[in-house]
């Protein structure tokens, strides 16, 4: 009995170590604050640990945990707690080391992008973050958000349209060589 629990604990620990950076990035983009992101990821992982037998045996444990995190964030937002995606003083934030293939990392002013994301309604922000930052498929995004693929398409399209309408952000993208 103790060996099974130890093996399960080691499996969970391995999962956390491997997925922590990506979960933190997603949580930060959803909440806008480093501490809020850490709280969101930690509370999500607490729930995952309690149900690890079920989570670990799922087809895609990362997708399962991401869904739990999106649901936890949505519950918090429904309580009308205010979120700030672009904190006034971000000097204490740990900077994300971008993937080399991450196009968003090529933007000269990441704070402009975070400020632009802050202007989106929560569901549009979730759709944009999951589809274009996390590079999930429409189906994976729909599963994570608990909605239909059509809702993902609609929210993502509206969110991208709002982002494109922000003059400073549009200039940043065209200066980077993309049109």
């Amino acid at each position: 009995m103790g060996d099974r629990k130890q093996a399960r604990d080691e499996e969970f620990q391995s999962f956390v170590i491997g997925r922590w950076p990506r979960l933190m990035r997603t949580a930060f983009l959803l909440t806008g604050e480093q501490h809020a992101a850490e709280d969101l990821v930690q509370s999500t992982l607490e729930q995952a640990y309690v149900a690890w037998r079920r989570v670990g045996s799922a087809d895609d444990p990362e997708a399962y945990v991401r869904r739990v995190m999106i649901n936890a964030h949505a519950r918090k937002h429904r309580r009308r707690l205010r979120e700030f995606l672009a904190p006034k003083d971000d000097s204490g934030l740990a900077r994300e080391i971008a993937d080399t293939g991450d196009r968003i990392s090529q933007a000269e002013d990441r704070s402009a992008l975070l400020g632009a994301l802050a202007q989106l309604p929560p569901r549009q922000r979730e759709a944009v973050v999951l589809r274009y930052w996390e590079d999930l498929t429409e189906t994976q995004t729909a599963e994570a958000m608990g909605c239909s693929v059509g809702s993902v398409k609609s929210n993502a399209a509206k969110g991208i349209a709002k982002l494109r309408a922000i003059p400073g952000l549009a200039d940043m993208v065209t200066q980077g060589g993309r049109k």
Side-chain angles (χ1 to χ4, degrees), residues 64-128:
Y64 190 107
V65 170
R66 187 173 34 252
R67 173 70 189 266
V68 170
M69 186 167 62
I70 297 291
N71 288 343
H73 178 260
R75 275 192 307 276
K76 184 177 180 182
H77 182 74
R78 274 192 292 264
R79 286 188 232 137
R80 303 282 183 223
L81 293 178
R82 198 148 182 217
E83 297 177 358
F84 298 94
L85 196 59
K88 291 178 184 168
D89 177 22
D90 64 352
S91 60
L93 295 179
R95 295 291 172 211
E96 171 187 344
I97 298 172
D99 299 335
T100 55
D102 182 5
R103 289 189 176 192
I104 295 174
S105 71
Q106 298 167 3
E108 291 179 20
D109 190 358
R110 291 174 74 83
S111 63
L113 179 59
L114 292 175
L117 283 172
Q119 295 176 30
L120 297 179
R123 293 300 279 180
Q124 290 177 13
R125 183 176 14 170
E126 288 173 4
V128 169

Side-chain angles (χ1 to χ4, degrees), residues 13-32:
Q13 183 178 14
S14 175
F15 174 84
V16 170
I17 290 169
R19 304 313 192 289
W20 181 265
R22 189 170 179 158
L23 291 171
M24 276 298 299
R25 177 179 62 195
T26 302
F28 179 76
L29 291 169
L30 292 173
T31 64

